[in-house]
């Protein structure tokens, strides 16, 4: 539910501290509820989360949000759009205060051509995303909302504050249905 990538974070921290031209990678901060990337807009940078938690979501034609993932430290943003030369596929918004490494696209492109470590990290990210998407899809079809809800409530209690709206969006349901599911879940826990 909360994706992190310590290996990618370690790699970028070293790259950041060893860079010759300090403008290729900079640190940037975002407040809670601030958008890092906006769906359908062109981005001129790649980001990697240093600290904090974001939500990755699609806004549908009816203005409903569907949260794909919650992303934490070490997660990369904007690389697919850069590689495919397309506007942002989804929006990324800070749930907590977030600090990111911001990488210029020309520098990132030069690294892709010259740094095997970066390419291996990217391949691992892409493979992990495919596996996670497949697992989540099959899991949600095989298990009741109640089971996913219990995992989400555990995550909320341990690692992050998440609104009912975001929980409903992640589960693909309405706030009203979520509220009923939480009440039913809490009744079963006390029985």
């Amino acid at each position: 539910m909360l994706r992190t990538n310590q290996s990618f974070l370690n790699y970028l921290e070293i790259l950041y501290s060893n860079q010759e031209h300090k403008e290729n990678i900079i640190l940037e901060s975002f407040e809670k509820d601030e958008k890092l990337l906006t769906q359908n807009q062109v981005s001129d940078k790649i980001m990697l989360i240093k600290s904090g938690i974001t939500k990755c979501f699609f806004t549908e034609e009816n203005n409903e949000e569907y949260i794909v993932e919650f992303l934490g430290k070490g997660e990369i943003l904007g690389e697919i759009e850069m590689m495919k030369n397309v506007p942002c596929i989804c929006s990324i918004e800070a749930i907590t205060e977030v600090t990111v490494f911001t990488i210029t696209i020309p520098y990132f492109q030069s690294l892709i051509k010259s740094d095997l470590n970066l390419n291996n990290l990217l391949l691992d990210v892409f493979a992990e995303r495919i596996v996670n998407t497949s697992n989540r899809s099959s899991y949600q079809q095989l298990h009741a909302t109640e089971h996913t809800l219990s995992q989400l409530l555990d995550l909320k209690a341990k690692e992050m504050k998440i609104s009912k709206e975001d929980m409903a969006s992640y589960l693909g349901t309405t706030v009203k249905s979520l509220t009923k599911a939480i009440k039913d879940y809490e009744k079963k826990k006390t029985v």
Side-chain angles (χ1 to χ4, degrees):
M1 292 188 165
L2 175 60
R3 303 289 173 218
T4 61
N5 189 330
Q6 189 63 47
S7 299
F8 218 139
L9 180 58
N10 293 343
Y11 165 82
L12 206 61
E13 285 176 334
I14 292 167
L15 204 61
Y16 174 74
S17 56
N18 293 339
Q19 68 178 324
E20 290 178 26
H21 303 287
K22 299 296 182 189
E23 68 275 0
N24 287 329
I25 305 172
I26 61 169
L27 283 174
E28 196 173 351
S29 294
F30 294 86
E31 297 296 320
K32 181 182 185 300
D33 299 327
E34 192 175 351
K35 283 196 177 153
L36 287 73
L37 298 174
T38 303
Q39 184 176 331
N40 297 323
Q41 290 185 2
V42 176
S43 177
D44 61 350
K45 56 194 167 193
I46 307 297
M47 296 181 210
L48 188 117
I49 301 171
K50 180 175 173 37
S51 64
I53 299 172
T54 65
K55 65 179 180 179
C56 172
F57 64 95
F58 293 100
T59 303
E60 300 296 335
E61 290 175 8
N62 61 2
N63 286 329
E64 292 291 320
E65 286 182 8
Y66 175 72
I67 295 177
V68 179
E69 290 291 354
F70 296 102
L71 306 172
K73 64 182 182 177
E75 288 296 314
I76 189 166
L77 315 170
E79 79 292 350
I80 292 173
E81 291 84 350
M82 184 266 321
M83 290 178 184
K84 297 295 291 174
N85 196 28
V86 297
C88 294
I89 299 167
C90 56
S91 294
I92 308 289
E93 185 177 296
I95 291 179
T96 65
E97 187 175 301
V98 173
T99 302
V100 298
F101 290 105
T102 299
I103 310 154
T104 64
I105 287 179
Y107 182 61
F108 192 79
Q109 289 170 326
S110 73
L111 287 173
I112 287 175
K113 292 177 183 171
S114 65
D115 190 336
L116 188 57
N117 289 332
L118 174 62
N119 285 293
N120 286 332
L121 287 165
L122 286 171
L123 284 172
D124 187 54
V125 164
F126 298 148
E128 186 73 20
R129 287 179 185 166
I130 291 168
V131 168
N132 290 338
T133 300
S134 299
N135 285 343
R136 181 172 174 202
S137 177
S138 63
Y139 188 87
Q140 285 181 332
Q141 288 187 6
L142 295 173
H143 294 84
T145 300
E146 178 184 302
H147 188 72
T148 306
L149 175 62
S150 71
Q151 290 182 318
L152 196 54
L153 291 171
D154 287 345
L155 180 65
K156 180 181 177 182
K158 292 177 188 168
E159 297 186 49
M160 63 187 205
K161 294 182 180 186
I162 180 172
S163 68
K164 271 192 176 179
E165 290 80 8
D166 283 349
M167 290 174 70
S169 179
Y170 183 78
L171 294 169
T173 189
T174 64
V175 173
K176 184 177 178 179
S177 296
L178 173 66
T179 302
K180 182 183 179 323
I182 290 172
K183 286 179 184 174
D184 292 347
Y185 174 75
E186 289 172 350
K187 279 182 193 173
K188 287 181 183 178
K189 271 183 72 172
T190 58
V191 173

